[in-house]
Amino acid sequence: MERDAKNADVKITYATMSADQMEDLHRAIDRAIEEVGPQFGKAYPMHIAGRAVEGRGTFDDTSPIDTRLLLGRFQKGTRDQAGEAIAAARSAFPAWAARPWRDRVDVLEKLAGTIRKHRWELSVWMGYEAGKNRLECVGDVEESADLITYYCDQIRKNGGFVKSMEALGPNEQNLSVMRPYGVWAVISPFNFPLALAAGPAGGALVAGNTVVFKPATDTPLLGLKLYEMTVEAGLPPGVFNVVTGSGSTVGQELIENPAVDGIVFTGSKDVGMHLLRENAKRPAPRPVITEMGGKNPAIVTRSANLEKASDGVMRSAFGAQGQKCSACSRVYVSREVRQQFVDLFVEKTRTIKVGNPLDRDVWLGPLINEAAVRTYERAIAQAKQDGGRMLIGGRRLTDEPLNHGYFVEPTVIDGLPREHPLFYEELFVPITVVADVASLDEAIELTNRSEYGLTAGIFSEDDRDLAEFFGRVNAGVLYANRRAGATTGAWPGINSFGGWKASGSSGRGTGGPYYVQQFMREQSRVRIR
Ligand code: NAP
Ligand code: MG
């Protein structure tokens, strides 16, 4: 995994980097900051059938680091325009689907290469737009390229998913062929604005579908950058279209328009469930893949290495300001080691530097918007009212220059009853609640009580504990003793990533061996000679 950062095919994951690579990375990011600055404030059109299209008015995309920074102006797309984009994707579909799969793999690999080529510039834009730190942004960009490459590999490995079947007689030839559906809508969240656009879109496209993509309103810029990458990589006009605008207009049209053949959504449980319900009202079935929220626990047992555990929990609780679907937002710690663990966890949290995430020594940036700050403040107030103790944090940061952005302190809360809503609701802010447990059994029971089932982690030096944990926890992604992240940091081709229960509808992980097939349907072909 670790290669030279100067090398064009460097690989930077969320967890792997040497000191030399780090120096090179920072130099490259410093340069990209210089280059990106003069491009602030431009207006960006939407792109339908390869044409630049204006919406009905525009909206401003400002940075959560400092809202006085106008990053760009984006189009308020209308429902009609979303409809036009769907029609464009529909007309582009037959030719794209008819291409040999090897051609499509070539084009998509070019797209992955284009993303890698622009990695530094994309990372810097992302830092400004999503407020994530340097390493998080570079990881997001690298992951985008790797997801696409992985889906290309899957198509190649499976010979385009054309398989010979058995025959009942000598004159018979039977084939199973996976074929694309048609037009897919890709709806993405703000927190991984490139990976969760490029990944699903890449899967849909390499499988032979065409795409209409709607980025989150908080992160349209990275969405438009992805479009630019597809043009540079040579995707034909109409194969990938991008519309910007609100979920309730453009997004809703993507759900309701009868010409959309499939939807892949990543975002909150509320919106994902709304989508599934709307889908069920249609006269005929249609695939809808929803990747949704999480309330991910870490379990710390009596035999845990507490240095590892406190590092792992701190990174997963607060990385990207707690705005990862896989963030660790609750901890069940064995009574015997509770005090020691909490002391280490709080001590490490104290060393976190909050500030402009584009500064090289800053680890924690701002929340995405004012609504997220309100969620944070509401949760803190609720915790205090219900007897919770702030072991650290609990305040919005309002000193100059942080008062121009959405900065809050990473927060650890103790002393709440284990039935408290803060153990169950996804908040998507840097708050983690800690409870102590008498046994592993109890910890697993509490883990599974959540409606969510995305990720979970355990720290234990006892193999029997690990076997129990792996066997009994109902979640899609399980980690044991992972110092780099107790519950976060999956990588394409290394850890499939997907949720169970309210965390996901498909039971197939992104970046895993069963993902890309979801964008195809099987056709059985029987031929008698
Ligand atoms: P969100 O509010 O649910 O929005 C996700 C996307 O859905 C946005 O593009 C949004 O558009 C759009 N949308 C909203 N209403 C819609 C509607 N009626 N019809 C169609 N689309 C609609 O989520 P978010 O705040 O951006 O992201 C955070 C959430 O994503 C968290 O719950 C997190 O756990 C989850 N997430 C899950 C995964 C996973 O892999 N399981 C990964 C990352 C994030 P607007 O922005 O215009 O409202
Ligand atoms: Mg949102």
Side-chain angles (χ1 to χ4, degrees):
M1 284 263 112
E2 297 189 26
R3 275 171 270 171
D4 188 339
K6 275 174 279 191
N7 188 327
D9 67 351
V10 59
K11 168 129 4 258
I12 297 153
T13 77
Y14 301 106
T16 56
M17 279 262 274
S18 67
D20 278 356
Q21 281 182 319
M22 202 71 103
E23 267 315 306
D24 289 341
L25 176 144
H26 284 302
R27 264 197 296 276
I29 292 279
D30 287 338
R31 268 197 307 275
I33 289 175
E34 300 288 312
E35 283 159 21
V36 157
Q39 300 174 55
F40 285 159
K42 282 198 322 196
Y44 294 79
M46 303 187 283
H47 295 278
I48 300 175
R51 281 178 297 109
V53 175
E54 286 186 4
R56 188 176 297 152
T58 59
F59 63 96
D60 288 353
D61 180 20
T62 59
S63 174
I65 303 167
D66 184 334
T67 54
R68 297 169 301 181
L69 250 183
L70 177 68
L71 300 177
R73 289 220 150 87
F74 292 85
Q75 306 302 314
K76 279 188 189 154
T78 64
R79 283 188 78 134
D80 285 348
Q81 288 172 322
E84 285 162 29
I86 294 163
R90 175 119 255 116
S91 358
F93 173 66
W96 180 245
R99 286 228 202 160
W101 62 263
R102 285 188 183 79
D103 279 13
R104 283 197 302 266
V105 166
D106 285 348
V107 176
L108 268 296
E109 279 185 333
K110 221 176 257 169
L111 175 58
T114 309
I115 291 172
R116 290 190 186 102
K117 180 176 142 201
H118 294 284
R119 56 162 71 90
W120 308 122
E121 174 206 336
L122 291 169
S123 300
V124 167
W125 278 118
M126 191 185 296
Y128 281 115
E129 191 179 44
K132 299 201 283 187
N133 75 25
R134 291 180 170 202
L135 282 182
E136 290 288 350
C137 291
V138 175
D140 189 327
V141 173
E142 293 289 328
E143 184 180 9
S144 309
D146 277 15
L147 283 167
I148 297 171
T149 302
Y150 183 79
Y151 302 142
C152 289
D153 287 346
Q154 289 301 304
I155 299 272
R156 202 185 288 109
K157 245 186 218 159
N158 288 282
F161 291 99
V162 177
K163 296 201 193 298
S164 277
M165 305 288 283
E166 302 295 327
L168 290 173
N171 302 327
E172 210 178 288
Q173 191 197 27
N174 297 312
L175 282 182
S176 158
V177 183
M178 291 294 268
R179 306 200 55 203
Y181 282 90
V183 177
W184 277 71
V186 175
I187 302 175
S188 63
F190 76 84
N191 65 334
F192 285 85
L194 196 61
L196 296 178
L205 290 167
V206 74
N209 304 279
T210 53
V211 164
V212 178
F213 163 50
K214 186 202 117 47
T217 296
D218 283 315
T219 51
L221 205 156
L222 262 292
L224 267 290
K225 289 285 164 197
L226 175 60
Y227 178 80
E228 290 171 14
M229 301 296 118
T230 66
V231 172
E232 187 173 331
L235 247 81
V239 168
F240 181 79
N241 308 275
V242 54
V243 285
T244 46
S246 73
S248 53
T249 54
V250 167
Q252 193 63 26
E253 181 64 24
L254 294 178
I255 302 172
E256 288 179 17
N257 192 304
V260 173
D261 302 296
I263 297 177
V264 52
F265 163 88
T266 315
S268 62
K269 181 203 154 210
D270 282 354
V271 176
M273 289 308 295
H274 167 70
L275 243 132
L276 289 166
R277 280 187 209 103
E278 291 281 303
N279 195 54
K281 292 183 196 155
R282 287 162 54 89
R286 168 181 68 176
V288 177
I289 303 170
T290 61
E291 313 282 356
M292 301 181 280
K295 188 74 191 179
N296 312 293
I299 298 172
V300 181
T301 68
R302 210 168 27 177
S303 70
N305 174 325
L306 297 179
E307 282 296 341
K308 271 194 221 166
S310 50
D311 273 344
V313 169
M314 189 274 277
R315 290 192 177 130
S316 288
F318 303 129
Q321 296 77 256
Q323 299 173 121
K324 293 187 186 184
C325 50
S326 53
C328 175
S329 49
R330 48 187 178 132
V331 182
Y332 299 117
V333 55
S334 179
R335 249 164 231 162
E336 295 95 323
V337 295
R338 180 196 166 285
Q339 200 53 48
Q340 266 172 289
F341 167 78
V342 163
D343 289 348
L344 281 170
F345 180 23
V346 168
E347 187 185 305
K348 286 174 184 175
T349 301
R350 206 178 304 283
T351 66
I352 293 175
K353 180 150 184 204
V354 184
N356 182 341
L358 285 158
D359 293 350
R360 67 175 284 173
D361 59 336
V362 167
W363 192 68
L364 214 69
L367 290 173
I368 191 66
N369 54 31
E370 188 64 39
V373 176
R374 280 200 298 272
T375 301
Y376 174 89
E377 288 175 333
R378 218 173 20 239
I380 301 288
Q382 190 183 3
K384 283 184 179 158
Q385 190 188 323
D386 298 340
R389 287 188 303 278
M390 307 293 122
L391 298 180
I392 185 166
R395 289 179 317 128
R396 181 178 194 158
L397 295 166
T398 51
D399 290 344
E400 194 61 56
L402 303 186
N403 55 336
H404 300 289
Y406 306 117
F407 294 89
V408 300
E409 290 174 336
T411 303
V412 181
I413 301 176
D414 192 8
L416 289 171
R418 295 174 318 186
E419 302 72 41
H420 193 273
L422 292 197
F423 281 97
Y424 292 91
E425 284 166 18
E426 184 189 50
L427 300 169
F428 229 55
V429 298
I431 295 180
T432 288
V433 284
V434 180
D436 48 55
V437 288
S439 65
L440 176 61
D441 222 46
E442 199 181 353
I444 291 177
E445 203 267 316
L446 288 164
T447 290
N448 286 337
R449 222 185 261 173
S450 167
E451 65 176 328
Y452 293 110
L454 190 50
T455 75
I458 188 172
F459 292 88
S460 170
E461 298 300 314
D462 184 336
D463 284 348
R464 282 166 311 184
D465 287 354
L466 304 190
E468 280 285 295
F469 171 80
F470 285 131
R472 287 176 53 202
V473 168
N474 295 323
V477 190
L478 303 182
Y479 298 104
N481 295 322
R482 197 145 167 289
R483 188 170 206 155
T487 61
T488 50
W491 199 260
I494 313 289
N495 327 96
S496 308
F497 186 84
W500 290 13
K501 306 198 291 184
S503 296
S505 65
S506 74
R508 310 272 183 275
T510 59
Y514 311 107
Y515 183 79
V516 75
Q517 294 92 315
Q518 299 178 99
F519 297 100
M520 297 179 260
R521 49 189 168 186
E522 187 177 16
Q523 187 169 62
S524 187
R525 294 180 175 173
V526 182
R527 185 175 165 183
I528 311 291
R529 275 189 290 268

